[in-house]
Amino acid sequence: MKRRKSSSPKPTEVELKILHVLWTLRAATVREVHNALADEHGKRYSTTLKMLQVMQAKGLVLRDDSKRPQVYRAANSQRVTQKQLVNDLVLRAFSGAAGKLLVQALSSHRVSAEEMAEIKQLIERLEKESS
């Protein structure tokens, strides 16, 4: 099976945590990102700065140099990034079978009533589209 090339690099676990901060704050300085993660990780400011520089080089974040201190923001929305990660997981771990991923996810994790209603609506919509 031919693998589809991802349109952007996949973030590491630490990079995802930084992206979560940026998605929440919309944009942030290195200090703001560092402070948001410091309690959890205990990393040094210079480590946070280096991570953001690496993420910028990978195209995961954008930096606004017109302000001092510079402000970083996520290059893609949370939804776009999640979709890329899920697509990659479906291809790599489930041989392209999205249904198998869904069955595994639903059997492995508790789903709220609200999430279940959303899943049902999606299934109904997909059934109508395939008819």
Side-chain angles (χ1 to χ4, degrees), residues 90 94-107:
V90 167
F94 295 92
S95 302
K100 288 182 181 180
L101 169 66
L102 182 59
V103 169
Q104 184 64 37
L106 290 175
S107 64

Side-chain angles (χ1 to χ4, degrees), residues 14-22 33 37 51-52 55:
V14 172
E15 290 169 344
L16 271 174
K17 289 179 182 188
I18 291 171
L19 286 171
H20 279 285
V21 170
L22 294 175
V33 172
L37 298 174
M51 286 300 305
L52 283 163
M55 291 173 71

Side-chain angles (χ1 to χ4, degrees), residues 1-66:
M1 177 183 212
K2 192 173 185 179
R3 252 168 97 140
R4 229 179 5 172
K5 190 167 184 172
S6 178
S7 59
S8 69
K10 292 183 293 291
T12 65
E13 186 175 335
V14 172
E15 290 169 344
L16 271 174
K17 289 179 182 188
I18 291 171
L19 286 171
H20 279 285
V21 170
L22 294 175
W23 289 323
T24 300
L25 300 177
R26 299 202 190 273
T29 64
V30 176
R31 176 67 57 202
E32 291 168 330
V33 172
H34 176 73
N35 289 343
L37 298 174
D39 292 339
E40 183 180 339
H41 298 288
K43 301 227 188 281
R44 296 173 53 160
Y45 175 88
S46 59
T47 304
T48 305
L49 172 61
K50 184 64 179 170
M51 286 300 305
L52 283 163
Q53 291 169 338
V54 168
M55 291 173 71
Q56 180 187 11
K58 289 173 71 173
L60 294 171
V61 299
L62 303 172
R63 184 177 69 199
D64 182 354
D65 290 325
S66 69

Side-chain angles (χ1 to χ4, degrees), residues 79-103:
R79 182 180 174 108
V80 166
T81 301
Q82 288 172 339
K83 190 172 185 173
Q84 289 171 341
L85 290 170
V86 168
N87 285 338
D88 183 64
L89 181 62
V90 167
L91 289 172
R92 290 185 318 118
F94 295 92
S95 302
K100 288 182 181 180
L101 169 66
L102 182 59
V103 169

